[in-house]
Amino acid sequence: MKMLISDIGDIELTKDGNVQLHKMQIQHPTASLIAKVATAQDDKTVNGTTSNVLIIGELQKQADLYISEGL
């Protein structure tokens, strides 16, 4: 379960990653793109939102490793 708190203090508990991403106000361009990919996945298959976010995060970690090594 994850907890979201609105600007006015309302609390919502949910297990659905798609709901979370739709309700969050994401400012960072890369994070916004990741959220769009994950919600598009969920809109088509009704599953996989959290998995997509985790996979993209791991890909970014590996890319950062390669970049820091000069590849």
Side-chain angles (χ1 to χ4, degrees):
M1 296 295 284
K2 284 100 178 169
M3 179 172 53
L4 296 173
I5 302 174
S6 72
D7 293 336
I8 58 172
D10 290 340
I11 297 173
E12 181 176 346
L13 295 174
T14 182
K15 285 175 43 178
D16 188 353
N18 194 26
V19 168
Q20 295 170 20
L21 291 174
H22 277 297
K23 292 191 179 234
M24 292 169 61
Q25 296 175 359
I26 300 172
Q27 302 289 322
H28 192 278
T30 304
S32 178
L33 183 60
I34 292 169
K36 287 178 185 175
V37 167
T39 55
Q41 165 77 25
D42 193 82
D43 291 344
K44 295 291 182 189
T45 65
V46 193
N47 200 358
T49 305
T50 305
S51 299
N52 261 325
V53 171
L54 293 173
I55 288 170
I56 292 170
E58 284 300 315
L59 288 171
Q60 286 180 315
K61 229 189 269 184
Q62 292 300 315
D64 189 43
L65 250 169
Y66 290 128
I67 290 169
S68 68
E69 292 175 1
L71 297 176

